[in-house]
Amino acid sequence: MREPKVACRSMKSPTAGQAAIFCRAASSSSDDLPEAASCIESVAVSGADWLRQDGADTRRHFEHALGRLQRSATLGRLVSGEISRLAHDGAYIPERVVPGRLSLYENADCRLDLVTTRTSAEQPSTFLYSNTTSLVHVSLDDSARVSISAYQAPRVERNDTFVAGATLELIEQRNLGRYDAIRASADGLTAHDLCSDRPSVLLRIALKRELPFVWGFDREVLAAKFYYPSDVGASRRALAIDFLLATSHPRLAELCSLLRASQWHFLRWRAIQVMAREGFATVDELMQGACGDDHPEIRAAARDALDQMAQA
């Protein structure tokens, strides 16, 4: 079974249904913060409403909230506050660290980010990342020409069953208008690539309908190379296995035993592989048990292992 690469991201997941303002304005007075939070939350919530239900009323509410935000000094204060904290607080670590993105607001339903664009000459030559989400992009610089390329991956039976070499297909390429909403289906893999004639800043509202795994596609050939879980807890557990294995830690067997019951199939398979390699159980016993796993990849890999043992 192909083992996914796992990215460990430094972030905290908010409690479901509880709003979290990630970016605090250190230079703002305490009287300004409630107004700033209200402006940001209104844009995120009204934008999410418009993505779910495209209509004149929902769009009008979103445009009203966005106008209120842009008339205020909220965004400038937030960015200045972030810079001040980074420059003067040596212990400060942003809660969500993603290149080109500053998270402003998140709840169980939606997310609002500040996003920077690159020019075509600055685009990375590595990977496009694909998942399911619906987006609204709003350029904060009307003089910049920003374009978006939208890609669609082939439908897969399960998002957590990796198909190496599956290819993205370019389905749309257009210049971004004042408000551009991109509504993705709930069961598809999509990827979006932003580019501008010069560096630019956008607001992005995204519905949080992500699938369990993010897939990485080679930008040159648009082929799937790896995937990793959206859930940071799964990434941390995978890192723990690798750390304990690399250091021959005495608790490795304990962790593998626990992860054999993980909700994540790739962690169950990784635990089985390590237990077999380290002799914590016999290969035959481990593979016989894996033949009854809920995930088809694990069952297929276990059967292949047993067939190879029988032919040896």
Side-chain angles (χ1 to χ4, degrees):
M1 183 174 109
R2 187 182 182 89
E3 186 174 341
K5 293 182 180 179
V6 178
C8 185
R9 296 173 291 178
S10 175
M11 59 170 279
K12 291 181 181 178
S13 297
T15 303
Q18 179 182 358
I21 301 294
F22 287 118
C23 196
R24 299 291 188 181
S27 59
S28 298
S29 71
S30 58
D31 292 337
D32 292 331
L33 285 175
E35 176 65 17
S38 174
C39 283
I40 289 172
E41 182 176 18
S42 294
V43 170
V45 172
S46 61
D49 287 342
W50 182 38
L51 280 170
R52 281 193 304 269
Q53 185 176 352
D54 185 9
D57 287 342
T58 53
R59 176 167 179 147
R60 184 166 58 251
H61 290 156
F62 169 62
E63 291 178 2
H64 174 76
L66 184 64
R68 176 188 169 208
L69 176 65
Q70 292 182 300
R71 287 190 300 272
S72 72
T74 297
L75 293 178
R77 287 201 305 268
L78 287 174
V79 173
S80 294
E82 188 78 354
I83 293 171
S84 295
R85 293 187 70 179
L86 289 168
H88 302 297
D89 184 354
Y92 173 56
I93 300 175
E95 294 193 54
R96 184 187 288 275
V97 182
V98 178
R101 192 171 86 196
L102 180 63
S103 293
L104 302 179
Y105 175 89
E106 182 171 347
N107 64 18
D109 180 56
C110 64
R111 186 175 66 240
L112 175 65
D113 304 316
L114 272 178
V115 179
T116 58
T117 65
R118 293 186 172 98
T119 66
S120 57
E122 299 170 320
Q123 287 286 35
S125 59
T126 50
F127 292 98
L128 290 164
Y129 294 93
S130 176
N131 208 330
T132 294
T133 190
S134 296
L135 305 168
V136 173
H137 287 95
V138 179
S139 177
L140 299 180
D141 181 0
D142 290 336
S143 63
R145 291 196 301 271
V146 181
S147 63
I148 187 166
S149 301
Y151 299 86
Q152 179 73 54
R155 289 288 185 264
V156 293
E157 184 177 348
R158 296 174 58 143
N159 167 254
D160 62 353
T161 301
F162 184 66
V163 182
T167 55
L168 288 171
E169 178 185 356
L170 179 65
I171 56 174
E172 188 175 11
Q173 196 167 30
R174 68 174 186 266
N175 292 326
L176 283 178
R178 181 67 180 118
Y179 310 106
D180 250 2
I182 300 162
R183 293 173 171 84
S185 63
D187 61 345
L189 282 169
T190 58
H192 304 101
D193 213 11
L194 288 168
C195 187
S196 55
D197 60 341
R198 57 188 175 81
S200 182
V201 180
L202 295 88
L203 276 175
R204 180 177 66 185
I205 301 99
L207 287 183
K208 293 175 65 177
R209 295 191 298 178
E210 289 99 345
L211 291 164
F213 283 82
V214 177
W215 289 36
F217 289 81
D218 184 283
R219 188 181 291 272
E220 294 296 323
V221 297
L222 300 179
K225 296 295 184 181
F226 59 85
Y227 68 164
Y228 60 85
S230 305
D231 183 86
V232 69
S235 297
R236 291 175 67 88
R237 286 164 175 79
L239 179 64
I241 293 180
D242 292 339
F243 177 81
L244 296 186
L245 181 62
T247 57
S248 300
H249 198 282
R251 300 194 66 180
L252 178 60
E254 175 189 350
L255 178 61
C256 288
S257 179
L258 289 172
L259 291 182
R260 283 188 69 186
S262 171
Q263 71 182 87
W264 296 93
H265 76 285
F266 78 97
L267 287 179
R268 296 197 300 274
W269 182 247
R270 180 68 171 145
I272 290 170
Q273 288 178 309
V274 172
M275 292 180 75
R277 170 181 165 177
E278 298 299 306
F280 297 149
T282 67
V283 176
D284 183 71
E285 174 191 352
L286 291 167
M287 296 308 156
Q288 291 288 354
C291 284
D293 194 272
D294 291 339
H295 198 279
E297 278 195 64
I298 293 183
R299 294 197 301 270
R303 286 194 296 269
D304 287 346
L306 289 172
D307 289 344
Q308 291 175 14
M309 290 170 59
Q311 294 170 8

